Structures are given as C-alpha cells and as structure tokens.
Amino acid sequence: MKIAFNILPVITDYENVNLLVEAGNYGISFVWFTKDPLNIVGISVYHLSDRMLPEEVADEIEKTLKASPVFSKINASTTICYDFKESILVPALYYQSATNFSMLNLIHASENDYNIKTDVVNRHNAVNVYAIHKKIEEVLNRQFPSAIIHHSTSLQLEKIHTVDKFLYCNFSHNCIKVIMFNGSAFQLVQQFNFNTPADAAYHLLNCCKQYDFMPSEVSLMLSGMIDEKSKLHTELYRFFLNVEFEKIDELIGCHDRMKFYPAHFFSHLISLASCVS
C-alpha cells in the first residue's frame, strides 16, 4: 500500500488516546483523537492498488499493521469502521435476518468467504446489512481484539443533515462514495469506481437522472481526495452549480500539520471520529 498521509501523534501516552480505523475498497485510514473536547492528534491514510483480490487486501493491511509500532500501542478505545461496497440498507419494517446473506449475494455476489454484519440506523429507521471478507476481518480482529465495529455508512447517515436535494460525495484515488438525499429521506448510497473526471461526472449525473433530480438544483458536497484546482473539480462544476467542500467544525482541534492541507481531505474521517467520541 502507498502512504497518502502519515501525520502521526506527537505523544507517548497512547492509553489516553482513542483510535478509529476505517477500512474500505480504497485502502485503510487511522485517526487518533482525544475526547471532551474532540481533538485530532494524528491521521494516517494508506491507498491500495486497483483491482486487488480480498485476500491480497488482507495481506496488504497486515503488512501495514506490522510495519509500524504505532499500530501496536494500547489505546483508550478502538473503533473499526468498515466501508467496503458490499452493503445494503433495508427498511426496518421489511428486515428479516434470515435473508441477509441472500440479499447481499444477489446484489454484490458475497459468497461464503464473507461474514455478515448489521447496524441499526435509527435516524432513517433502517438496517445496514454488510459483508466483510473473513481474511480482512481476521487481520483487524487479531490486531484490535477489543474494537467496536460499525459500518461507515451507518454513522454517516446518523450524522449528515440535509437540504432539499443533496449529494454527499467522498472521493478516494480510485472511487467515489455517493450518499443522496431528498430532504430528510435518503435515496441512495453507492460506491463507484472511476478513472477519469468524465467518469466521475457521469456517475453523479446518472444518480440524478435515476431520481429525477435536476443537477442545477442539487447541492453537491465534496470531501476526500479532490482538489479545488483539479480537472475533476472543474468537470463537476460544469454540471452542478451548487458545489461546496465539506468543512470541519471549528470546535474540533486538529494536529498542526493537518492545517497545511485543505480541510475536506480529512473531513469525512474526522466526522466518523466525532460520531464515536
């Protein structure tokens, strides 16, 4: 895996610091933070190569965890947020645990090599059913045996407050995660791979078309690996008039080195940390 950011905590007492780990199709991220008030003391982000098999992803994560002693420190708490694309949201009214595997296998071809997990999303009266490849889960469970487990989407849906027509987009180096709302009701949560700015714009426009949204009426919020001066941003701005970058709450403290980068590079990870702080 390639290191995208490696802003390690400048501390020695890890027992008073909390750790959030997010693992997804893009790679793996680590956020170290203290609570009351929330203060982000370190962030590391690692990117995977494209088109890796789950077993290869597990091997890469294990190598990363073994490569630095910081990942063996004992923290006050550890939370693992999985953000792999094998996830579906089911209205609580129609949820039946016996159908979890068949639903995921139908949509995502999640075979017997996957473990099935669920989160309750109270704000939207839904259940997030998601699959984690067994080898990936084994690696992370071995390293963080006491970790609390969530899916990133479950926390994001509890956190995001929306306007009438709203697209929240988190960009990594190889994919986009899109969460679409119409007022307070979410319409879509999906991840798309992309190679060019035109690919990314196509996916967002197609989401709008499916739900009869006019791009000119949609509020588009961007987070993650997208630069304001990039071709990707320029391409999106051709179609969407209401575009803004996600901000970080002013009450949240951040490591000094993070201030050299645009806030939206880390905003989605900091938002997850705020959900579990």
Side-chain angles (χ1 to χ4, degrees):
M1 276 195 281
K2 295 181 179 180
I3 300 177
F5 299 99
N6 195 30
I7 304 172
L8 295 178
V10 186
I11 55 172
T12 56
D13 185 10
Y14 280 84
E15 292 186 2
N16 291 320
V17 172
N18 304 276
L19 174 64
L20 181 137
V21 182
E22 186 191 56
N25 298 91
Y26 71 91
I28 190 166
S29 300
F30 304 88
V31 183
W32 292 270
F33 62 97
T34 57
K35 301 179 180 181
D36 302 323
L38 178 60
N39 185 35
I40 309 301
V41 298
I43 283 185
S44 290
V45 179
Y46 294 77
H47 287 165
L48 289 163
S49 301
D50 294 342
R51 299 182 180 87
M52 296 185 73
L53 296 172
E55 294 84 357
E56 295 174 318
V57 173
D59 289 342
E60 288 296 305
I61 291 175
E62 187 166 33
K63 289 176 185 176
T64 299
L65 293 172
K66 289 181 176 179
S68 176
V70 71
F71 301 125
S72 298
K73 302 290 185 181
I74 298 174
N75 295 281
S77 71
T78 301
T79 302
I80 297 174
C81 291
Y82 289 106
D83 199 31
F84 293 98
K85 63 182 180 180
E86 292 83 9
S87 166
I88 55 175
L89 286 151
V90 182
L93 180 64
Y94 302 106
Y95 173 72
Q96 296 181 2
S97 60
T99 64
N100 286 350
F101 179 82
S102 58
M103 285 191 299
L104 280 167
N105 193 45
L106 178 65
I107 297 173
H108 294 291
S110 301
E111 300 175 353
N112 292 325
D113 291 334
Y114 289 78
N115 290 327
I116 309 299
K117 296 184 175 296
T118 59
D119 291 340
V120 176
V121 184
N122 290 311
R123 177 186 286 271
H124 298 284
N125 197 25
V127 179
N128 186 2
V129 183
Y130 56 102
I132 308 300
H133 194 276
K134 290 179 180 178
K135 289 194 174 181
I136 295 174
E137 187 175 28
E138 286 170 6
V139 168
L140 289 171
N141 283 350
R142 191 160 53 243
Q143 188 75 23
F144 307 110
S146 301
I148 299 168
I149 308 299
H150 297 284
H151 195 280
S152 294
T153 298
S154 306
L155 298 180
Q156 288 163 337
L157 287 174
E158 296 283 9
K159 183 80 173 178
I160 295 173
H161 298 279
T162 69
V163 292
D164 289 339
K165 291 181 172 59
F166 180 79
L167 268 176
Y168 177 84
C169 303
N170 178 241
F171 288 84
S172 72
H173 66 296
N174 61 355
C175 64
I176 322 165
K177 180 176 182 179
V178 178
I179 304 178
M180 174 182 276
F181 289 87
N182 188 358
S184 60
F186 75 85
Q187 304 293 301
L188 173 75
V189 180
Q190 197 164 342
Q191 296 188 32
F192 303 96
N193 294 331
F194 75 97
N195 294 313
T196 68
D199 293 340
Y202 167 80
H203 288 306
L204 298 189
L205 291 170
N206 192 41
C207 288
C208 290
K209 182 178 180 181
Q210 289 181 45
Y211 290 90
D212 294 324
F213 284 12
M214 291 293 294
S216 59
E217 300 174 351
V218 172
S219 294
L220 183 64
M221 180 170 285
L222 310 177
S223 66
M225 298 295 96
I226 177 170
D227 190 87
E228 188 174 6
K229 296 180 181 179
S230 66
K231 292 181 179 179
L232 175 56
H233 181 263
T234 301
E235 183 71 11
L236 296 180
Y237 206 79
R238 288 178 56 203
F239 303 101
F240 296 91
L241 302 181
N242 305 307
V243 182
E244 64 176 316
F245 291 102
E246 187 176 26
K247 297 178 177 62
I248 297 173
D249 192 317
E250 294 179 356
L251 298 178
I252 299 175
C254 293
H255 192 297
D256 285 343
R257 284 178 58 196
M258 292 172 57
K259 297 174 184 178
F260 289 101
Y261 301 98
H264 67 273
F265 279 15
F266 311 111
S267 59
H268 61 293
L269 295 171
I270 293 173
S271 179
L272 290 176
S274 71
C275 289
V276 301
S277 66

